[in-house]
Amino acid sequence: MRAYLTSPRFLRAALPAASFAILLAAIFYVQPRAMSYFGMNLMLQYTVPIALATIAQMFIITVNDLDLSIGPFVGLTACIGATLLADTPVLGLLALLACIAAYAALGALIHWRNLPSLVVTLGMSFVWLGIAVLILPTPGGTAPGWVKAIVGLKTPLVPFPIIAAIVIGIVVHVALMTSSYGAVLRGAGGNPRAIGRAGWSLLKIKMVMYAAAGFFGVLSGLSLIGLTSAADAHIADRYTLYAIAGVILGGGEFVGGRVSPIGAVIGAMTLTLTGSFLTFLKISPDWQIGAQGGILIIVLALRALINRREG
Amino acid sequence: MSVIRVLSGRAWVWSFLGMFLVWLVTAVYTGGKGSADVITAALSFATFTVIVGIGQMFVITTGPGNVDLSIPSTIALSGAVAMKLMGSSNDMLAIGLAASLGCGLAVGIFNYLLIRVLRIPPIIATLSSSFLILSTAIAYGRGLKIKPPPMLAEFTTAQVGGVPILAIVIILFAILMSVVLNRTVYGRSVLAIGQNMRAAWLAGINVERIRFMTYVLSALLAAICGFLLSGFSGGASLNMGQEYLLASIAVVVIGGTSVAGGKANVPGIWGAAMFMFLLVTMLNTLGASAGIRLIMTGLIIVAVITIAGGDEPQR
Amino acid sequence: MTASDTNIVTLENVAKHFGAVRALDGVDLKVDAGECLGLVGHNGAGKSTLMHVLAGTLSPGAGSMGIRGHDLTGSYNVTAAGENGIRCVFQELSLCPNLTVAENARIFHPSLTGWGWKRRAGAMIRDKLDEIFPGHGIHADDVVGDLSIGKRQMVEIARAFTTTDTPLHLVILDEPTSSLDAHTSKQLLDFVRKAVGEGQSCILISHVLGEILTYSDRIVVMKDGLVVASRAGSDFTRDTLVAAMGNVVEMEEIKEREARDVNRDHAPLVIEARSDTGQDSVPFVAHKGEIVGLAGLASHGQTAMLLKIYDAAMRGRNTATVSGPVALVAGDRQTDGVFHLWSIARNIGVRSLRNMVRNGLIDPAAEAEMGREWQERIKIKAPDMNDNILSLSGGNQQKALFARALASDAEIILMDDPMRGVDVGTKLEVYDLIRAEAQKGRTFLWYTTEMDELYNCDHTYVFRDGAIVADLSRGDLSEEKVLQSSFKASA
């Protein structure tokens, strides 16, 4: 048992949860009042959109690609949500479906021409932003009532963001980690040649993963306007970086198909908490992203340490 | 036919052709009015993109997965530090520049340490360091509204016959860097590493030293860009580097540098930077809205990589 | 009984050429049901290519393929192999390291879906592991990347024997025991006999001759892309098998060369190194002006030794004693040698950039001059040295890589089996050049998988399992001795 608890595999898996727990404990120590329904709700309310964007990024990273456009894409879906979806629901829904289809098409293009995802998604980030600006030139719009109602749900005992995060984590875990096709999808990140040799279509796999990323990007945008009520094309620009950081904090690796949906959700929560922690410490919010970068580096350093012991 | 083959072999030519074409359309549409001013403006603004683009080009040329995402925050930090130190005084100009370069050097070394010691993929390493750098810049430059020293402001905005002095300096610098790329041991080593890192090591190239120098070079250029940009725009602001993340990568790709590494082109960066600016100007002139301008920029990047990317042997 | 019941595979006159390299040069092969076929041959004899053809991952350039009584010439591929129950365990593992053992089993079986698939896949692979390797200690939910290389190989082998909806007819095992210890090797081979007894067929490729002799019904010997012997296993002894593998056509010219007059006692020592195994029978040493051979079967530690010496020289480490600058001639041109975007001249000059600098800049004239000089000296057949390196034939590319090393200031040249797939004419030219350079005081460390080349060497170290097992001087060298040291007597 002891050998298992100190094994690199266990340590790697436990690292995201441990960093989250340590941060949470530190917050409760500094500010005991945070240890309440209201306090938790306040600290973690932005977890939901960030976690959803992180999951979207995770699907892309699983197949050894990287999405630099997820932030602007979330911004675009937020703008569609706050305008088309609110005014003409059918049109809004179609627009959101088209967004997901566009993502699947990107996956196909990247596989077909063997393109670097970095540059393609970089270009697409301009496109998403441009469309968002066309739809909503100035900040505004209103979120559909039902979106606000869902996000603002008052759940008993445990605040909604925590329940939502757990549900997201479990649903994606079941789909990607325990389903039989999920194994094939992850295998395509681990050893694409072996997957191809076993007769699976790598094109289809890329399209499925990109479509899934698009789907979760849409959910992220909708949950975001549920919290803010109004939208703005630039509302989620930072999410690109958050989402990458969340996946890595959650124990995901950059290549090789080693990802963890539950870890990614925890990573997103850790990032969200960092901001609150600094507020409680009365450290200027200037340092918020610095602290997020610092945590990222510390966690990566710890992981390098664990891996070195293994190697 | 052979002309097309020659042209497609020299991808950077397209960026100049594109530049000329959009300028022509603009000039025709406006009846030639102000078309010289457009060039002046394009030169002024493209200059800054070119400075960071050259650094990014060297990084990208060292091979797949290498990219510097910390350029914007380095611009912000360097600008803030320099402005605060100089306090609008001409006497402090040298010290301000030295401080800027110091920031760049520190960032470059830090990035490389993350990549080498912690074995973090370059994208994640420069991303996380950019978080730290930006925070430092924000904390240091809080409420910063310091005017640049008059000499710096003058230098960055001065023109000779409609040609910005700074643009001339940076054109000369680009020529210098083109020589560095093609005619020095360092440049050759970068090109070799980008084609095949293992073969480069086995051919006697000190791969780690070259990568170190490349990340430091990129950070130094970002710092210089921050210094000059704050002189140009009348002071440092914290988000002044933001647009240069995407722009630096975009001009490298459009300028004919291979994202797969090992093939780089300095003149193409100038062409691409001018093209990008003139494209936006053209769309502006034609009455396109901000949204359309963004969409066109993005689609052009995707189109360029789709056409150029498939021919490269990707590893 | 129809043909399809007794005959699994019939290959007739199958050929596969890679450029000038004739990997398969007209091979006939028959595998019957319930037969264990042992396949042996020296490196480059064509075993791997033949196996890829059978697995459907390479399609042959000529010849006919009959599978279970059907003529599948031209239409055979991976899917057809699967449908006909033909499986292959490749030497490079084809497991996904990020997935568990059970998930890797599922990848192989598209029909394994639906509720409880993980349990079923886990049970399937566990049962097969239990059957082949009792006491294996592998769990179905272990992540493959965390397993030792030996256990990974066990999983890979067990997976090849699992069945869901199509029956299994033939399993091809390429060096299946290379990462297994003696105990598990025996478990596997005993299982193979059992499976064969139940009517399945098996092709066993191994360099452990004892395994082949003990477990095969029939042994096929390949050499230079041809089947040179195919007889019942009992007809062979260890010695006759080694003799059948040896080269018939010798390059007499090389063999008859006199041993060069290099006196080890007088020439200074330039290299002293040991392998990481700590089981060397003698340390690896080289003296100034010597040509030292590294022999043995492919990837048994020879390249690792060269890289260790290279690393020590480049980084100034004390993991090996090296006095003098080194240069390396790569054998795997595409991954270790050639810069594919560059011209021939640039590819030659890259090792000597520092010496071509005038006033801080690389002198293009010096670079062109070096290209011209070496085109002349090593006879690179190219219209223009400014042409892209890939415009050259493989042999000429290899000459360019030689020129890169020889044109440099290196006193020690490491050669990582550089003559693979190079024509005889080129070889003879390069051999002369090497001997001339050695005469001038350069030291050559020469890893080669071709026996004849060793006759150029003043000393030959034979490697097995990463360690040096024999040290043969030029006078002692014989093919027989190298083979005897390279092959273990038994597992």
Coordinates of all heavy atoms in Angstrom, one line a residue, chain C residues 402-436:
Chain C
F402 N 29.6 10.9 -45.4 CA 31.0 10.6 -45.2 C 31.8 11.8 -45.4 O 32.7 12.1 -44.6 CB 31.4 9.5 -46.1 CG 31.4 8.1 -45.5 CD1 30.4 7.2 -45.9 CD2 32.3 7.7 -44.6 CE1 30.3 6.0 -45.3 CE2 32.3 6.5 -44.0 CZ 31.3 5.6 -44.3
A403 N 31.6 12.5 -46.5 CA 32.3 13.7 -46.8 C 32.2 14.7 -45.6 O 33.2 15.4 -45.2 CB 31.9 14.4 -48.1
R404 N 31.0 14.8 -45.1 CA 30.8 15.8 -43.9 C 31.8 15.5 -42.8 O 32.4 16.4 -42.2 CB 29.4 15.7 -43.4 CG 29.0 16.6 -42.3 CD 27.7 16.2 -41.6 NE 26.6 16.5 -42.5 CZ 25.3 16.1 -42.1 NH1 25.1 15.4 -41.0 NH2 24.4 16.4 -42.9
A405 N 31.9 14.2 -42.5 CA 32.8 13.8 -41.4 C 34.2 13.9 -41.7 O 35.0 14.4 -41.0 CB 32.4 12.4 -40.9
L406 N 34.6 13.5 -43.0 CA 36.0 13.4 -43.3 C 36.5 14.8 -43.6 O 37.7 15.1 -43.4 CB 36.2 12.5 -44.6 CG 35.9 11.1 -44.3 CD1 36.0 10.3 -45.6 CD2 36.8 10.5 -43.3
A407 N 35.6 15.7 -44.1 CA 36.1 17.1 -44.3 C 36.3 17.9 -43.1 O 36.9 19.0 -43.1 CB 35.0 17.8 -45.2
S408 N 35.8 17.4 -42.0 CA 35.9 18.1 -40.7 C 37.2 18.0 -40.1 O 38.1 17.3 -40.6 CB 34.8 17.7 -39.7 OG 35.2 16.4 -39.2
D409 N 37.4 18.7 -38.9 CA 38.7 18.6 -38.2 C 38.7 17.4 -37.3 O 39.6 17.2 -36.5 CB 38.9 19.9 -37.4 CG 37.7 20.1 -36.5 OD1 36.8 19.3 -36.4 OD2 37.7 21.2 -35.8
A410 N 37.7 16.5 -37.4 CA 37.6 15.4 -36.4 C 38.8 14.4 -36.6 O 39.2 14.1 -37.7 CB 36.3 14.6 -36.6
E411 N 39.4 14.0 -35.5 CA 40.4 13.0 -35.5 C 39.9 11.6 -35.3 O 40.5 10.6 -35.6 CB 41.5 13.3 -34.5 CG 42.3 14.5 -34.8 CD 43.0 15.1 -33.6 OE1 43.1 14.4 -32.6 OE2 43.4 16.3 -33.7
I412 N 38.7 11.5 -34.8 CA 38.0 10.3 -34.5 C 36.7 10.3 -35.3 O 35.9 11.2 -35.1 CB 37.8 10.1 -33.0 CG1 39.1 10.1 -32.2 CG2 37.0 8.8 -32.8 CD1 38.9 10.4 -30.8
I413 N 36.5 9.3 -36.1 CA 35.2 9.2 -36.9 C 34.4 8.0 -36.4 O 34.9 6.9 -36.4 CB 35.5 9.0 -38.4 CG1 36.6 10.0 -38.9 CG2 34.3 9.1 -39.2 CD1 36.2 11.3 -39.2
L414 N 33.2 8.3 -36.0 CA 32.3 7.2 -35.5 C 31.4 6.9 -36.7 O 30.8 7.8 -37.3 CB 31.5 7.7 -34.3 CG 32.2 8.4 -33.2 CD1 31.3 8.8 -32.1 CD2 33.3 7.5 -32.6
M415 N 31.2 5.6 -37.0 CA 30.4 5.2 -38.1 C 29.3 4.3 -37.6 O 29.6 3.2 -37.1 CB 31.2 4.5 -39.2 CG 32.3 5.5 -39.7 SD 33.0 4.9 -41.2 CE 34.0 3.6 -40.6
D416 N 28.0 4.7 -37.7 CA 26.9 4.0 -37.2 C 26.2 3.1 -38.3 O 25.2 3.5 -38.8 CB 25.9 5.0 -36.6 CG 24.7 4.3 -35.9 OD1 24.8 3.1 -35.7 OD2 23.7 5.0 -35.7
D417 N 26.9 2.0 -38.7 CA 26.4 1.2 -39.7 C 26.0 2.0 -41.0 O 24.9 1.9 -41.5 CB 25.2 0.4 -39.3 CG 25.0 -0.9 -40.1 OD1 25.8 -1.2 -41.0 OD2 23.9 -1.5 -40.0
P418 N 27.0 2.7 -41.5 CA 26.6 3.7 -42.6 C 26.4 3.0 -44.0 O 25.9 3.7 -44.9 CB 27.8 4.6 -42.6 CG 28.9 3.8 -42.1 CD 28.4 2.8 -41.1
M419 N 26.8 1.8 -44.1 CA 26.7 1.2 -45.5 C 25.5 0.4 -45.8 O 25.4 -0.2 -46.8 CB 27.9 0.3 -45.7 CG 29.2 1.0 -45.6 SD 29.3 2.3 -46.8 CE 31.0 2.6 -46.9
R420 N 24.5 0.5 -44.9 CA 23.2 -0.2 -45.1 C 22.6 0.3 -46.5 O 22.5 1.5 -46.7 CB 22.2 0.2 -44.0 CG 22.2 -0.8 -42.9 CD 21.1 -0.4 -41.9 NE 21.7 0.5 -40.9 CZ 21.0 1.1 -40.0 NH1 19.8 0.9 -39.9 NH2 21.6 2.0 -39.2
G421 N 22.3 -0.7 -47.3 CA 21.7 -0.3 -48.6 C 22.5 0.5 -49.5 O 22.0 1.2 -50.3
V422 N 23.8 0.3 -49.5 CA 24.7 1.0 -50.4 C 25.3 0.0 -51.4 O 25.6 -1.1 -51.0 CB 25.8 1.7 -49.6 CG1 26.8 2.4 -50.6 CG2 25.2 2.8 -48.7
D423 N 25.4 0.4 -52.6 CA 25.9 -0.6 -53.6 C 27.3 -0.9 -53.5 O 28.1 -0.2 -52.9 CB 25.6 -0.1 -55.0 CG 26.3 1.2 -55.3 OD1 25.8 2.2 -54.7 OD2 27.3 1.2 -56.0
V424 N 27.7 -2.1 -54.0 CA 29.1 -2.6 -53.7 C 30.2 -1.6 -54.2 O 31.2 -1.4 -53.6 CB 29.2 -4.0 -54.4 CG1 30.7 -4.5 -54.2 CG2 28.2 -4.9 -53.8
G425 N 29.9 -1.0 -55.4 CA 30.9 -0.1 -56.0 C 31.3 1.0 -55.0 O 32.4 1.3 -54.7
T426 N 30.2 1.6 -54.5 CA 30.4 2.7 -53.6 C 31.1 2.2 -52.3 O 32.0 2.9 -51.8 CB 29.0 3.3 -53.1 OG1 28.3 3.6 -54.3 CG2 29.1 4.4 -52.2
K427 N 30.7 1.1 -51.9 CA 31.4 0.5 -50.7 C 32.9 0.4 -50.9 O 33.6 0.9 -50.0 CB 30.8 -0.9 -50.4 CG 29.4 -0.9 -49.7 CD 29.0 -2.3 -49.5 CE 27.6 -2.3 -48.8 NZ 27.0 -3.6 -48.8
L428 N 33.3 -0.2 -52.0 CA 34.7 -0.4 -52.2 C 35.5 0.9 -52.2 O 36.5 1.0 -51.6 CB 34.9 -1.2 -53.4 CG 34.4 -2.7 -53.3 CD1 34.6 -3.4 -54.7 CD2 35.1 -3.4 -52.2
E429 N 34.8 1.9 -52.8 CA 35.5 3.2 -52.9 C 35.7 3.8 -51.5 O 36.7 4.3 -51.1 CB 34.6 4.2 -53.7 CG 34.7 4.0 -55.2 CD 33.6 4.8 -55.9 OE1 33.1 5.8 -55.3 OE2 33.3 4.4 -57.0
V430 N 34.6 3.7 -50.7 CA 34.7 4.3 -49.3 C 35.6 3.5 -48.5 O 36.4 4.1 -47.7 CB 33.2 4.3 -48.7 CG1 33.3 4.8 -47.3 CG2 32.3 5.2 -49.5
Y431 N 35.7 2.2 -48.6 CA 36.6 1.4 -47.8 C 38.1 1.9 -48.1 O 38.8 2.1 -47.1 CB 36.6 -0.1 -48.2 CG 35.3 -0.8 -47.9 CD1 34.9 -2.0 -48.6 CD2 34.4 -0.3 -47.0 CE1 33.7 -2.6 -48.4 CE2 33.2 -0.9 -46.7 CZ 32.8 -2.1 -47.4 OH 31.7 -2.7 -47.2
D432 N 38.4 2.1 -49.3 CA 39.7 2.6 -49.6 C 40.0 3.9 -49.0 O 41.1 4.1 -48.4 CB 39.9 2.7 -51.2 CG 40.0 1.4 -51.8 OD1 40.4 0.4 -51.1 OD2 39.8 1.3 -53.0
L433 N 39.0 4.8 -49.0 CA 39.2 6.1 -48.4 C 39.4 6.0 -46.9 O 40.3 6.7 -46.4 CB 37.9 6.9 -48.7 CG 38.0 8.4 -48.5 CD1 39.0 9.0 -49.5 CD2 36.6 9.0 -48.7
I434 N 38.6 5.1 -46.3 CA 38.8 5.0 -44.8 C 40.2 4.5 -44.5 O 40.8 5.0 -43.6 CB 37.7 4.0 -44.3 CG1 36.3 4.6 -44.4 CG2 38.0 3.5 -42.9 CD1 35.2 3.7 -44.1
R435 N 40.6 3.5 -45.2 CA 42.0 3.0 -44.9 C 43.0 4.0 -45.2 O 44.0 4.1 -44.4 CB 42.2 1.7 -45.8 CG 41.4 0.5 -45.4 CD 41.4 -0.6 -46.4 NE 42.7 -1.2 -46.5 CZ 43.0 -2.4 -45.8 NH1 42.0 -3.0 -45.1 NH2 44.1 -2.9 -45.9
A436 N 42.9 4.8 -46.2 CA 43.8 5.9 -46.5 C 43.9 6.9 -45.3 O 44.9 7.3 -44.9 CB 43.5 6.6 -47.8

